[in-house]
Amino acid sequence: MESVNIQDTMGALFVGALVTMTLYGITTLQTYIYYMSFPKDGILMKCLVAFIWILDTLHVILMCHSLHYYLITEFGNLIAHTEGTWSLVASIGINVIIALIVQSFFTQRIHTISPANKKWWISGIIGFTVVVHFAFGMETVVLIFIKKKFSRLKEIRMVAALPFGVFVVLSDVFIALALCILLHSNRSDFEDTNSLINKLIVYAINRCLLTVAMTIVEVVVFVVVPNSFYSFAIDFVIGKLYANSLLAALNARKSLGNENERRNDSRSTELSTSFQLASAVADSEAPTSHIRVRSRARWEEGSVDGEAIDLDVLDSKERGNTSVSVL
C-alpha cells in the first residue's frame, strides 16, 4: 500500500477549500452588486453573469463533496486517499469551463475594439490559444479520471498537464497584452483621457498577473509533487479568480463612471467636447462613462461655443473622431 502524507493531501485540500469559500463569497457579492448596479444591461449580459455564478456554485458543491468523501466517508481509509474521487476531478473540469467563458468574453471584447484591418488577426491568435488551453484542460481532466491513482499522474505531465499550463499562461498574457496595446493607442494630449486609460491598463495587467501566477504555481507543483493535493487545492482557487476577474471588470464601470462625472462637474466651465466612452465589457444598453477633453482643433477655429457633443465611441471611427474604449 502506498504511503499517504495527511499534511500533503487532506491538509492541502482543506486549506484550499477554506480560501476558495472566501473567494466564492466575493463572487456572490460581486454578482449581487452587478444586478443592483446595472439593471439596464442586456439580457445576454445578465445571463452570462448568472451562468458564471451557477458554474461557480456547482464547483463549490463538487469541492465540498470531495472533502466530505475524503474526510468523512472514507476517514481512515488510506487507500481511498491515494485515488481521485469523481467530484474532485469534475471540479477541475468546471474551472476549465469557467476559464474558457471568461477568456472568450475578453477575446470578443478585444475583437470589438480592435482596428478593422487587424481585428481578425488579433482575436484569431488569442482565440486559438484559448481553444487549445480548453482542449488540453479537458484532456487533463479525462486522463486524471482514467488514471485515478495519484501515483500515476506523473504519466500525463508532458502530454496534458504541462501543455495545459503553458497555453493558460499564453492566452492570459495575450489578452492582457492586446488590451494594454489597444488602450495605449488611444492615449491623447488630454489628462482626463490618459488618466482613465492608465487605470484600465492597470486593471488588465492585474487580472493577468493573478491568474498567470496561480497557474504557474499549480503546474510546477503538479510536476514536482504529483502525489500530493497541493495542485488540486490551487486549482480550487483559480476558478474563483477567473469568475471574479469578469465580475470586477463589469462592476468597475460604476466607479469609473462616478469618477469621470466628478471630473466633469469640476471642469464644467472649460471649452470642451464630451466623448462618450462605451464599455468594452458591456453591451450597447449598458450605462456609459463620460470624460471631458478640450477640443483644440475646433477651439482654434472658433467653432466651439461651450456646448457638449456626445459621440458614440463604437461609431467614432466612421465619423473620423478620436475615441477611447473602456474595459
Side-chain angles (χ1 to χ4, degrees):
M1 184 179 67
E2 302 175 34
S3 61
V4 177
N5 187 318
I6 297 298
Q7 291 292 337
D8 292 342
T9 54
M10 298 304 104
L13 208 63
F14 182 71
V15 172
L18 291 178
V19 176
T20 300
M21 291 303 297
T22 301
L23 293 175
Y24 175 68
I26 297 175
T27 303
T28 302
L29 176 61
Q30 291 221 70
T31 302
Y32 172 80
I33 292 174
Y34 168 78
Y35 283 111
M36 291 298 101
S37 302
F38 304 102
K40 294 183 180 181
D41 270 8
I43 186 65
L44 291 179
M45 185 64 64
K46 291 180 178 178
C47 288
L48 173 64
V49 172
F51 188 53
I52 287 291
W53 182 83
I54 290 171
L55 285 177
D56 214 33
T57 302
L58 177 59
H59 175 268
V60 168
I61 293 172
L62 293 171
M63 179 189 71
C64 291
H65 177 274
S66 63
L67 280 173
H68 187 275
Y69 173 81
Y70 288 117
L71 299 179
I72 306 299
T73 305
E74 297 297 335
F75 177 75
N77 184 356
L78 296 183
I79 296 179
H81 291 182
T82 64
E83 299 177 348
T85 186
W86 69 269
S87 56
L88 180 64
V89 180
S91 70
I92 301 175
I94 295 297
N95 276 348
V96 172
I97 295 173
I98 292 175
L100 171 69
I101 295 173
V102 173
Q103 289 182 330
S104 298
F105 175 82
F106 282 108
T107 302
Q108 192 275 331
R109 296 294 88 188
I110 289 171
H111 178 82
T112 300
I113 66 177
S114 296
N117 61 332
K118 298 179 181 178
K119 62 172 52 184
W120 286 107
W121 284 101
I122 297 173
S123 58
I125 294 173
I126 297 174
F128 172 77
T129 60
V130 170
V131 171
V132 175
H133 153 220
F134 175 73
F136 277 119
M138 296 310 296
E139 180 192 14
T140 301
V141 171
V142 171
L143 290 178
I144 292 176
F145 186 81
I146 293 174
K147 301 297 182 181
K148 202 169 182 67
K149 288 188 175 295
F150 296 120
S151 60
R152 298 188 61 192
L153 293 185
K154 58 187 178 183
E155 299 174 13
I156 70 172
R157 284 182 297 189
M158 302 306 297
V159 298
L162 188 57
F164 170 51
V166 169
F167 277 96
V168 171
V169 172
L170 284 177
S171 54
D172 278 336
V173 169
F174 284 170
I175 288 173
L177 187 62
L179 288 173
C180 291
I181 292 174
L182 289 170
L183 287 168
H184 189 270
S185 66
N186 280 299
R187 293 179 65 87
S188 69
D189 296 330
F190 306 114
E191 180 182 351
D192 286 354
T193 303
N194 292 340
S195 176
L196 179 57
I197 288 176
N198 290 338
K199 286 183 173 62
L200 297 173
I201 291 176
V202 170
Y203 286 164
I205 293 175
N206 287 343
R207 189 205 75 82
C208 171
L209 286 178
L210 281 173
T211 53
V212 167
M214 292 298 293
T215 300
I216 292 175
V217 172
E218 180 186 11
V219 172
V220 170
V221 169
F222 184 84
V223 172
V224 175
V225 281
N227 295 341
S228 73
F229 281 9
Y230 289 115
S231 58
F232 293 102
I234 296 171
D235 190 80
F236 285 167
V237 175
I238 288 179
K240 301 296 175 286
L241 293 180
Y242 275 108
N244 276 291
S245 69
L246 173 60
L247 294 171
L250 288 169
N251 292 335
R253 290 176 292 163
K254 185 175 182 179
S255 61
L256 289 173
N258 291 339
E259 181 178 344
N260 288 329
E261 288 298 330
R262 288 195 298 270
R263 288 183 176 181
N264 291 345
D265 292 340
S266 66
R267 302 186 181 188
S268 58
T269 59
E270 296 181 4
L271 296 177
S272 63
T273 301
S274 175
F275 285 88
Q276 188 179 56
L277 305 181
S279 172
V281 293
D283 56 23
S284 59
E285 297 178 15
T288 55
S289 303
H290 290 77
I291 191 168
R292 299 179 72 85
V293 295
R294 285 184 290 272
S295 181
R296 294 180 176 176
R298 300 188 65 186
W299 179 47
E300 290 173 357
E301 296 171 3
S303 59
V304 176
D305 55 5
E307 80 277 14
I309 304 170
D310 287 338
L311 300 176
D312 189 339
V313 71
L314 297 182
D315 296 330
S316 62
K317 290 180 181 177
E318 287 133 12
R319 301 178 188 177
N321 297 311
T322 303
S323 64
V324 179
S325 297
V326 179
L327 296 183

